[in-house]
Amino acid sequence: MSSIVVGPWDDGGSLLCVRFLFFLVPGPIKYVRGMEKNGGSRVAAIAVVFMAVIGVLLIFLFPGSPEQDVDYHFLMARTAWVDHFYFVDVWGRPLFTTLFAPAALLGFIPSRFFALAISVAAAWQTYRLACDLRMSRAWLVIPFLLGQQTFFELYSNLFTEPVFALILVVALRCHISGRIKSGMLVASLLPLARPEGVFVCLFWGLWILILPQRERQTSPCRLKLPEASSDRARTSGNAVNERERGVRMGTSGDVVPRYKRLVGRLGITIILASGVVIWWFAALLLTGDPLFILHNWPATWHTDMYGHGTFLSYAQRSQEFAGVILIVPFILGLLRGFRSSYLSLITSVFLVLFLLHSIFVKYGLFGEAGFPRYMVSVAPAIAVLTLEGWNTIFSVKILRPFVIVAGWVVVIFSILQSVHYLDSMVWARDAVAIDEMANWLQQQYPSLPGLIWSNARMCIILKRNLKDCPPAGNREKLFALLEKAPAGTIVFWDNEIGPNWFGTTSAEIEGRGYKLLTSRHYSLPALIVPPGRFPGIAPLFPPIPSREIELSLLKRTGD
């Protein structure tokens, strides 16, 4: 069993350190006692504000995106207003596109602020989940999230994983508090955020059907709570007990046979299909095609699209989604999760996605690319399990005096490691060069009859959408676009995405009736930690090489 919470500052050494940290606050002892009384919510609020400030800095320090998916998602959200099928597009994720479409009208930077708000909300809900579970030092889940390198990469950008994480943590909170149907209703939105949501919903339904007794034990009212919470716990416990009796017994008070209870629960699990039904109905209204989801299934989501990996691919890169140092308490928390009734669902949801992606990458199913960022979908579960492991480590009497010092060292190093990880994403630097090329193009050619591009950022900067400037898709579609493009059409091409995604170089395009306007080579150093900037910490992190890229602008000549 996990240690029962007395308060977030339940040891004397921690209390003294906290008082010292807040020595500038008038009445520090009263302030700290207030934090204790509030369950650490003020510390959590400070941590959330700190997280938001870092996110704002990242938005301006990294004007571009670490992956092309960000730019494509933004363009789909913008294009949805003129081509409505994008609201229900499978690859674009209907919930994500619907949420971001209003922000996309304001621009790329406002959309990133909205993405940051979603991630901050997910972090706060993760803290509330830890509070619901009565975990010590619940506020630590917020810096633990920042210590997850992949979460740090995604949380200020337009990725679908943070949206999934927010829905998941809210569903978990509903379920653990005893609001089973509300939890299923929220979880039904997961397939609209990411395709893995279908498998999570299937598992969620099996959890309700097969493990009713264990399910009931996950309610916090089953835990031994502090005396101050006993009245509320008894009230919550009575409510849950009434729901339990309603499932086990009929109106006459007789015990309902097991098979009838199973049929009754099966009917309840239909709630988990609500999101997909809404998606299907919206697609029918917008497209008139009752099989739109099937017909719109991405062509790249097929077997062997990105080849095969090993079953241990995700395990070998677990430090990226759990944290370089935080991997130790995470593994310990995961092991304890197997034995803990109130952590069983959280542990199981993490394992579902982890094993699912491990199987997909081994057999090359559903276009699995093997990106560790996919695990950001369960970042709240990872943070909670990390906290469980952390509390277990420092429940050892000999280690308790070092909890504050260790906490600061681990959190600071983990966040620095996350910064280094994001800075090593070379595509995030391309925006500097692309913006310069776009400025030159707009000065030379204020109006463009058409645009063909390899990097989607150029389409964003020039305020185009996917309807008037569709992506090339592949080599054959690119040649078709080049052939029917009107005179004066501009082609923006780079020497990496162009050849690797579309199998074409700028020289080939030039040979198809296009004139080279300019071609520039850029050497882009790391944005935050270039070589020589921070010599004091350089030995702790491997050097980040410069990004070498060549960008070209071509124009179609008249016939």
Side-chain angles (χ1 to χ4, degrees), residues 67 150 161 194 196 305-318 320-321 353-354 356-375 421:
E67 298 182 29
T150 49
E161 287 85 354
R194 286 191 60 80
E196 302 96 314
M305 174 62 189
Y306 296 100
H308 293 260
T310 67
F311 182 77
L312 297 177
S313 295
Y314 278 89
Q316 291 167 349
R317 302 185 68 176
S318 57
E320 295 181 51
F321 59 77
L353 258 72
F354 179 77
L356 188 72
H357 284 294
S358 297
I359 294 171
F360 284 176
V361 75
K362 175 176 175 57
Y363 296 102
L365 303 175
F366 295 101
E368 172 70 47
F371 295 149
R373 68 169 168 86
Y374 294 157
M375 297 306 298
Y421 182 82

Side-chain angles (χ1 to χ4, degrees), residues 70-114:
V70 172
D71 298 331
Y72 275 86
H73 279 300
F74 172 79
L75 287 172
M76 287 181 175
R78 175 193 282 177
T79 310
W81 295 107
V82 295
D83 202 344
H84 301 321
F85 96 91
Y86 279 109
F87 278 118
V88 290
D89 182 70
V90 175
W91 190 92
R93 282 63 159 182
L95 181 61
F96 181 92
T97 303
T98 302
L99 288 175
F100 278 86
L105 292 176
L106 301 177
F108 187 67
I109 295 299
S111 296
R112 289 192 63 184
F113 273 99
F114 183 63

Side-chain angles (χ1 to χ4, degrees), residues 152-167:
F152 194 88
E153 173 198 352
L154 271 59
Y155 91 99
S156 62
N157 270 299
L158 279 70
F159 286 96
T160 57
E161 287 85 354
V163 176
F164 188 102
L166 176 58
I167 299 170

Side-chain angles (χ1 to χ4, degrees), residues 117-166:
I118 289 176
S119 298
V120 169
W124 180 258
Q125 289 297 318
T126 304
Y127 160 71
R128 295 302 305 160
L129 174 62
C131 290
D132 293 343
L133 295 171
R134 305 295 190 259
M135 301 182 74
S136 300
R137 309 177 187 92
W139 66 274
L140 277 174
V141 295
I142 298 171
F144 284 172
L145 283 170
L146 294 179
Q148 299 175 22
Q149 297 177 13
T150 49
F151 181 88
F152 194 88
E153 173 198 352
L154 271 59
Y155 91 99
S156 62
N157 270 299
L158 279 70
F159 286 96
T160 57
E161 287 85 354
V163 176
F164 188 102
L166 176 58

Side-chain angles (χ1 to χ4, degrees), residues 8 27 45 63 66 69 93 99 119 183 186 196 224 244 274 299 314 326 352 359 448 480 487 545:
D69 284 10
R93 282 63 159 182
L99 288 175
S119 298
V186 175
E196 302 96 314
K224 182 180 178 181
E244 292 173 355
S274 302
Y314 278 89
L326 296 175
V352 165
I359 294 171
L448 303 176

Side-chain angles (χ1 to χ4, degrees), residues 69-393:
D69 284 10
V70 172
D71 298 331
Y72 275 86
H73 279 300
F74 172 79
L75 287 172
M76 287 181 175
R78 175 193 282 177
T79 310
W81 295 107
V82 295
D83 202 344
H84 301 321
F85 96 91
Y86 279 109
F87 278 118
V88 290
D89 182 70
V90 175
W91 190 92
R93 282 63 159 182
L95 181 61
F96 181 92
T97 303
T98 302
L99 288 175
F100 278 86
L105 292 176
L106 301 177
F108 187 67
I109 295 299
S111 296
R112 289 192 63 184
F113 273 99
F114 183 63
L116 174 61
I118 289 176
S119 298
V120 169
W124 180 258
Q125 289 297 318
T126 304
Y127 160 71
R128 295 302 305 160
L129 174 62
C131 290
D132 293 343
L133 295 171
R134 305 295 190 259
M135 301 182 74
S136 300
R137 309 177 187 92
W139 66 274
L140 277 174
V141 295
I142 298 171
F144 284 172
L145 283 170
L146 294 179
Q148 299 175 22
Q149 297 177 13
T150 49
F151 181 88
F152 194 88
E153 173 198 352
L154 271 59
Y155 91 99
S156 62
N157 270 299
L158 279 70
F159 286 96
T160 57
E161 287 85 354
V163 176
F164 188 102
L166 176 58
I167 299 170
L168 177 63
V169 70
V170 172
L172 287 171
R173 287 196 64 200
C174 291
H175 183 92
I176 288 173
S177 66
R179 294 171 290 170
I180 308 301
K181 294 180 181 179
S182 297
M184 289 191 290
L185 185 61
V186 175
S188 73
L189 298 176
L190 292 173
L192 281 68
R194 286 191 60 80
E196 302 96 314
V198 174
F199 297 93
V200 174
C201 284
L202 290 174
F203 168 78
W204 205 293
L206 289 174
W207 184 272
I208 300 296
L209 289 173
I210 300 175
L211 300 173
Q213 178 62 32
R214 189 174 182 181
E215 188 296 301
R216 291 194 293 272
Q217 292 174 344
T218 61
S219 175
C221 70
R222 296 291 177 183
L223 304 178
K224 182 180 178 181
L225 302 179
E227 184 177 353
S229 303
S230 59
D231 293 338
R232 184 173 60 183
R234 279 192 291 269
T235 302
S236 177
N238 291 336
V240 175
N241 289 336
E242 290 297 328
R243 285 193 291 270
E244 292 173 355
R245 284 193 289 269
V247 173
R248 296 197 305 266
M249 307 182 69
T251 56
S252 62
D254 298 329
V255 177
V256 178
R258 181 181 296 272
Y259 77 91
K260 288 188 177 181
R261 295 203 305 270
L262 186 63
V263 172
R265 295 189 195 105
L266 183 61
I268 294 174
T269 57
I270 298 298
I271 297 174
L272 290 165
S274 302
V276 174
V277 171
I278 293 172
W279 182 8
W280 173 84
F281 187 67
L284 180 63
L285 290 178
L286 292 176
T287 68
D289 183 2
L291 299 177
F292 172 81
I293 296 176
L294 179 62
H295 296 157
N296 186 242
W297 198 258
T300 56
W301 288 4
H302 58 75
T303 303
D304 294 336
M305 174 62 189
Y306 296 100
H308 293 260
T310 67
F311 182 77
L312 297 177
S313 295
Y314 278 89
Q316 291 167 349
R317 302 185 68 176
S318 57
Q319 289 184 339
E320 295 181 51
F321 59 77
V324 175
I325 298 181
L326 296 175
I327 187 70
V328 176
F330 166 70
I331 292 176
L332 180 58
L334 183 63
L335 293 176
R336 286 181 60 84
F338 288 117
R339 302 173 57 187
S340 172
S341 60
Y342 75 99
L343 287 176
S344 56
L345 179 58
I346 296 173
T347 305
S348 300
V349 168
F350 165 78
L351 289 175
V352 165
L353 258 72
F354 179 77
L355 295 175
L356 188 72
H357 284 294
S358 297
I359 294 171
F360 284 176
V361 75
K362 175 176 175 57
Y363 296 102
L365 303 175
F366 295 101
E368 172 70 47
F371 295 149
R373 68 169 168 86
Y374 294 157
M375 297 306 298
V376 174
S377 299
V378 287
I382 295 173
V384 168
L385 293 173
T386 302
L387 178 61
E388 174 69 13
W390 180 272
N391 288 338
T392 301
I393 292 172

